[in-house]
Amino acid sequence: MNFQQLRSVREAQRRGFNLTEVAQALHTSQPGVSRQIRELEEELGIELFVRVGKRLTGLTEPGEHVLPVIERLLQEAENLKRAADDFAQAGSGRLRIAATHSQARYALPPAVRDFRAHHPDVSLHLQQGSPQQIARLLLDGEADVGIATEALAEYPELIALPCYRWTHSVVVPPGHPLLDGPLTLARLAQFPIITYEPGYTGRSHIDEAFASAQLAPHIVLSAMDADVIKTYVELGLGVGIVAAIAFDDERDRQLRALDARHLFADNMTRLAVRRSAYLRDYVYAFIQTFASPLTREVVDAQRQLTADDSADTLPPLLRAVGG
């Protein structure tokens, strides 16, 4: 048994049982992948995959039971390498951060600047995606840290720690009728709305607020990016609903912002790591740079809890972050 056999099985499941894609991911040949899988099956004495001719079409029942064990073995092998690197390459390495556009654009820059000042030998790799894509990058071991508002707390294999609370603002052109009088959901629903795509940046709280008020907003455009939303508000397509942090009085001189915290529920940005991953010293340092209450002791304490316990036993300190 060897790690290449284990990687071949794991990648086959991840790549939808497409051995051509598995071979590309592992930088080998398709016959080589098939051989590695078959040799492992022969050693274990079970078939891991359902086959139709030479094609793999799914996991067998034994394969469903064995795959999590393979995942753990490969994770521990990676943990072993990272633990060694902490001593052999102290203070240097690569930190892979996955974040939504809003976090990468508005929340991360100060943390990245401060982290780089203290860890100049650590190279940073920033990936952007949806909350679901960020979770998948973490689960697949392709990111060390994930930052998003939605979804991360829904995966038991991840530990998702609260970092800060934030609210929404309504953005409009100068002279817009919403600038006169109180801002209400009923008044807001009278105008075309431009806001985030479902699953991004607190969109669920926006939808819930209108639904609770039995109002049907006319959403004419949705986007992942607050800058895109503001651009189309400037063009007169509608009024925008964006994260309050995304509005800057100096930069957004052609727009006006209205505080909407009384209309939509607060949102919580979370930072997630894979529960079973070994975290190098500089990963802990980055986490605390991004959210100062998240010390190494707090992170490790949460990693020792079960997925069910974590949400109910967060220290009061964390509940108060950004509140």
Side-chain angles (χ1 to χ4, degrees), residues 35-225:
R35 185 179 66 256
Q36 296 283 359
I37 291 173
R38 179 58 72 187
E39 287 176 355
L40 180 60
E41 289 179 321
E42 289 174 356
E43 182 166 352
L44 296 176
I46 56 175
E47 288 197 348
L48 301 175
F49 295 97
V50 177
R51 290 174 169 82
V52 176
K54 293 185 177 180
R55 289 192 306 112
L56 305 185
T57 60
L59 289 169
T60 62
E61 183 178 354
E64 294 280 1
H65 287 274
V66 167
L67 182 63
V69 179
I70 290 175
E71 292 274 8
R72 289 197 297 273
L73 286 170
L74 291 173
Q75 178 66 61
E76 288 304 318
E78 181 62 26
N79 287 344
L80 180 62
K81 183 177 184 303
R82 291 180 181 180
D85 287 345
D86 253 347
F87 292 92
Q89 303 176 24
S92 65
R94 186 185 189 203
L95 176 58
R96 302 164 300 171
I97 305 167
T100 60
H101 173 84
S102 293
Q103 301 300 326
R105 173 69 178 83
Y106 301 107
L108 270 175
V112 168
R113 178 198 61 210
D114 294 346
F115 177 82
R116 283 285 299 156
H118 292 92
H119 300 272
D121 295 327
V122 177
S123 63
L124 296 172
H125 179 64
L126 180 59
Q127 304 175 77
Q128 295 182 52
S130 69
Q132 291 75 19
Q133 289 170 331
I134 292 167
R136 179 44 54 191
L137 288 169
L138 288 168
L139 293 172
D140 289 348
E142 296 177 14
D144 303 305
V145 172
I147 301 172
T149 298
E150 315 277 354
L152 295 183
E154 299 171 7
Y155 295 83
E157 303 95 329
L158 303 179
I159 168 177
L161 298 167
C163 297
Y164 66 91
R165 299 183 189 277
W166 57 270
T167 59
H168 285 102
S169 290
V170 172
V171 292
V172 297
H176 194 278
L178 285 177
L179 294 171
D180 298 322
L183 179 64
T184 65
L185 286 173
R187 291 188 68 206
L188 186 56
Q190 295 175 6
F191 300 93
I193 292 174
I194 305 170
T195 191
Y196 298 104
E197 289 188 1
Y200 281 83
T201 322
R203 171 64 186 272
S204 60
H205 286 165
I206 295 171
D207 294 341
E208 289 166 4
F210 282 112
S212 296
Q214 298 185 324
L215 294 170
H218 180 35
I219 297 178
V220 296
L221 189 149
S222 58
M224 296 181 290
D225 182 343

Side-chain angles (χ1 to χ4, degrees), residues 215-246:
L215 294 170
H218 180 35
I219 297 178
V220 296
L221 189 149
S222 58
M224 296 181 290
D225 182 343
D227 291 338
V228 171
I229 294 170
K230 290 183 290 186
T231 295
Y232 285 97
V233 172
E234 289 183 16
L235 292 176
L237 267 68
V239 300
I241 304 175
V242 300
I245 195 175

Side-chain angles (χ1 to χ4, degrees), residues 282-293:
Y282 59 71
V283 178
Y284 285 104
F286 175 81
I287 292 172
Q288 189 169 8
T289 301
F290 184 74
S292 57

